[in-house]
Amino acid sequence: MLGGMQDFELRVPRLLDHAAREHATRRIVTRWADGRETRTDWAGIARDARRFAQALEGLGIAPGDRIATLAMNHTNHLIAWYGTIGMGGVVHTINPRLFDDQLEYIANHAGDRVLLYDKTFQPIVDRLKPRWTSIEHFIAFDDAGFEALLDAESGDYAWREGSERDPCMLCYTSGTTGNPKGVLYEHRSTVLHAMNATQPWVLGLSSRDTILPIVPMFHAAAWGLPFAAPLAGAALVFSQTNDAAVLCDLMTAENVTLGSGVPTVWLAFFQHIDAGGTVPPALKQITVGGSAAPRAMLARFLDLGIKPTHLWGMTETSPVATAFAPRPDWDEMHRDAQLDVICRQGAIPFGIELRIVDDDGRELPRDGSVSGRLQVRGPWIVKRYFGADADAVDADSWFDTGDVALLHPDGTMQITDRAKDVIKSGGEWISSVDLENAAVGCPGVAEAAAIGVAHPRWDERPLLVVVRKPGSDVTADAILGHLSGHVAKWWLPDEIVFVEELPHTATGKLLKTVLRERFKDYRLHAA
Ligand code: AMP
């Protein structure tokens, strides 16, 4: 027996139609790299997206085809997303910071037919063109070609209908090992993810918000903000560059209420403020995620009266899975206790289920002291990678995140490490992330990475690889002395080595595989 309610497929174009109808004049602003500014609104985006859909059909693009973008954040990128999805296509956002071999691999693996790109990435296009086997059309976003394409169309177009389970977007994981893997988002998963993001216990968005997604549209769909904004009727502000001074200026000029970015973005923000910049007056919330946000940064936002919403997720989780949400007793908590909670990766919203398991897959208690492999399931979590011939989940739909976490009795989740980075000493786990965070709190330390190196008695022991701040001559003993105040004695690194720089992935995460390879024959003196 079927229920008696309407068929109303959760399709992404409905988000845009809603905004164009109910929040037509909420603005969409872009500050381009050359300093120009363009302004439109949700009604304008809806009209131009229809024109872009017509243009794609004119090029012979069919539903299901992949349309790639190699671009920073701006209005034309947004128009391309909605136009592509509206005609049944799949947007494939490519991260321009990937290495050539990865750029070649993912566009060919995706079978992209069109590439839309920013002129700044022309050298990448020129280099890779002969190696990309499926791309037929190259269109630059920021010259007359894109505008001309739109101008040639009427905008009299009805979105293609289809199932809510149809694909709409393809994002590849940055991948620290092996080839990147594609995660194929659906209309339904995208709409549900957007509904989740707007909830009070996640970002609490409304039509009173003006959002500046600093996180790039090529990094897990700018954390879904371009879909959550029309749902909430919020205004969107884009900057084609990530310069802190430009961002602060734009936030002030446009009364931005929410900014979203990885920790390094906010470090640059505070450097700018410290050098005489002003805190944007309308800013009432920031989101930070992608890697653990430092406590000092979260404390600073808290003291400024700006809510620091710490998020956790990954490309495979669309990406927002957990978010900071104040508990009922929040106002009675001391500032330090509040910070302890904000430093964790958030609470679990409806739609997300989490559990932690040991190496044999046995579920572990939520007692805040035993850590285990973090597993997740839900309607916006990956089931199978694009083009794979087997599911990425177990029989009960649990996806193993590769993160190691604690689940606390108050329902918050705390990432302690990546599973492959955890240091296994005498059968116990040492969190490399905790060691690194404690180490960067030591004056004179710019960056630190902890890796496990072979030890005859303990199996592995921690080695700390440190980059000193310019002009600093901080010693290993000073760092050990600092660490002693922050971690258990048996966690202290057996040795500390100093290097000029550490290797990173295209999304700015420490590349531990390279580091482990470099130190694989390292002999600890005491061992
Ligand atoms: P990506 O798919 O490139 O976005 O990377 C996802 C990974 O980033 C996760 O599996 C975590 O290891 C890490 N990550 C994301 N958010 C956080 C956070 N708030 N704290 C610590 N690690 C995070």
Side-chain angles (χ1 to χ4, degrees):
M1 188 170 71
L2 280 178
M5 312 312 272
Q6 300 190 358
D7 297 323
F8 186 99
E9 299 288 299
L10 298 178
R11 302 264 302 177
V12 167
R14 288 190 188 279
L15 299 171
L16 183 58
D17 286 347
H18 168 77
R21 221 172 27 239
E22 314 303 336
H23 308 280
T25 59
R26 289 297 278 147
R27 66 198 190 288
I28 316 293
V29 179
T30 294
R31 175 83 61 91
W32 299 84
D34 60 9
R36 257 180 329 125
E37 210 163 84
T38 53
R39 312 177 84 82
T40 180
D41 54 24
W42 281 118
I45 298 290
R47 185 187 58 241
D48 287 342
R50 284 187 160 79
R51 288 177 165 162
F52 187 68
Q54 287 176 306
L56 284 180
E57 291 197 354
L59 293 175
I61 301 303
D65 284 349
R66 271 78 65 202
I67 307 301
T69 64
L70 187 69
M72 302 304 288
N73 296 1
H74 51 69
T75 309
N76 290 352
H77 200 170
L78 187 72
I79 292 167
W81 277 23
Y82 278 104
T84 300
I85 295 173
M87 58 76 57
V90 174
V91 178
H92 170 207
T93 49
I94 301 180
N95 181 348
R97 296 175 197 143
L98 293 175
F99 313 111
D100 280 8
D101 287 351
Q102 295 172 317
L103 288 167
E104 174 186 353
Y105 173 84
I106 66 170
N108 291 343
H109 187 262
D112 296 327
R113 291 192 61 193
V114 178
L115 176 73
L116 295 135
Y117 65 97
D118 285 357
K119 277 292 208 190
T120 41
F121 303 128
Q122 186 71 48
I124 299 182
V125 175
D126 292 342
R127 258 193 341 266
L128 272 296
K129 219 171 189 171
R131 293 160 65 179
W132 281 328
T133 53
S134 59
I135 305 178
E136 300 154 47
H137 307 279
F138 294 85
I139 303 165
F141 266 133
D142 39 4
D143 67 19
F146 184 77
E147 316 274 324
L149 211 63
L150 300 184
D151 286 344
E153 306 294 339
S154 67
D156 182 12
Y157 178 86
W159 303 127
R160 291 268 184 152
E161 298 295 336
S163 159
E164 61 182 16
R165 301 300 303 267
D166 286 344
C168 65
M169 190 163 232
L170 179 60
C171 296
Y172 281 75
T173 59
S174 39
T176 46
T177 50
N179 278 323
K181 293 191 279 267
V183 184
L184 192 59
Y185 302 152
E186 300 166 348
H187 285 259
R188 175 175 182 265
S189 68
T190 304
V191 171
L192 291 175
H193 179 266
M195 291 179 87
N196 177 60
T198 55
Q199 298 302 313
W201 49 87
V202 184
L203 300 182
L205 299 180
S206 78
S207 63
R208 301 174 68 190
D209 278 299
T210 298
I211 305 172
L212 175 60
I214 307 171
V215 50
M217 291 169 79
F218 58 75
H219 189 194
W223 300 349
L225 290 169
F227 300 116
L231 189 153
L236 269 179
V237 177
F238 294 117
S239 172
Q240 204 184 10
T241 66
N242 272 349
D243 179 76
V246 172
L247 291 170
C248 276
D249 180 48
L250 199 52
M251 285 193 237
T252 301
E254 296 296 331
N255 288 317
V256 167
T257 59
L258 168 70
S260 277
V262 294
T264 47
V265 160
W266 298 118
L267 285 176
F269 171 88
F270 280 125
Q271 265 165 17
H272 173 73
I273 303 290
D274 290 339
T278 39
V279 178
L283 195 62
K284 62 177 203 275
Q285 181 180 200
I286 65 100
T287 62
V288 57
S291 52
R295 188 179 180 97
M297 173 193 291
L298 296 170
R300 231 177 138 178
F301 279 119
L302 203 61
D303 294 342
L304 284 168
I306 296 169
K307 182 181 173 199
T309 302
H310 194 183
L311 303 170
W312 169 81
M314 53 201 310
T315 307
E316 286 88 339
T317 64
S318 292
V320 179
T322 60
F324 161 65
R327 314 185 307 207
D329 57 350
W330 188 253
D331 293 334
E332 288 91 65
M333 287 169 72
H334 288 298
R335 179 177 170 282
D336 273 356
Q338 289 183 335
L339 271 173
D340 289 345
V341 174
I342 301 178
C343 283
R344 296 179 195 154
Q345 278 70 12
I348 306 170
F350 173 75
I352 292 291
E353 294 181 13
L354 293 183
R355 69 171 189 180
I356 49 171
V357 299
D358 65 15
D359 275 342
D360 299 319
R362 276 186 304 252
E363 189 168 353
L364 295 165
R366 297 177 162 221
D367 62 5
S369 67
V370 204
S371 62
R373 301 179 69 96
L374 182 66
Q375 300 190 328
V376 57
R377 64 182 182 189
W380 58 89
I381 308 300
V382 70
K383 177 178 175 197
R384 180 182 289 217
Y385 289 107
F386 180 65
D389 44 23
D391 286 349
V393 297
D394 71 11
D396 297 316
S397 288
W398 288 109
F399 173 74
D400 195 297
T401 63
D403 284 330
V404 176
L406 293 170
L407 290 174
H408 290 269
D410 69 355
T412 53
M413 185 274 283
Q414 181 182 357
I415 299 284
T416 56
D417 216 338
R418 295 286 301 162
K420 55 186 181 319
D421 295 340
V422 98
I423 300 159
K424 294 185 175 170
S425 171
E428 300 285 344
W429 291 4
I430 297 175
S431 160
S432 65
V433 171
D434 283 357
L435 278 180
E436 289 155 9
N437 285 346
V440 293
C442 175
V445 174
E447 203 182 6
I451 53 170
V453 291
H455 189 284
R457 172 150 177 231
W458 301 110
D459 191 21
E460 275 184 359
R461 287 296 301 159
L463 172 75
L464 191 70
V465 189
V466 170
V467 181
R468 289 188 180 103
K469 281 194 179 145
S472 157
D473 53 5
V474 63
T475 62
D477 281 345
I479 297 172
L480 283 174
H482 173 84
L483 289 176
S484 313
H486 292 85
V487 300
K489 193 158 179 292
W490 66 275
W491 278 33
L492 288 177
D494 282 30
E495 271 163 45
I496 296 180
V497 294
F498 294 94
V499 295
E500 289 300 314
E501 62 177 341
L502 290 167
H504 294 96
T505 66
T507 50
K509 296 177 197 201
L510 278 173
L511 201 47
K512 298 261 181 92
T513 41
V514 171
L515 217 50
R516 273 194 289 269
E517 183 58 28
R518 193 186 301 165
F519 288 98
K520 76 175 188 304
D521 298 324
Y522 192 84
R523 290 265 167 280
L524 296 166
H525 293 106

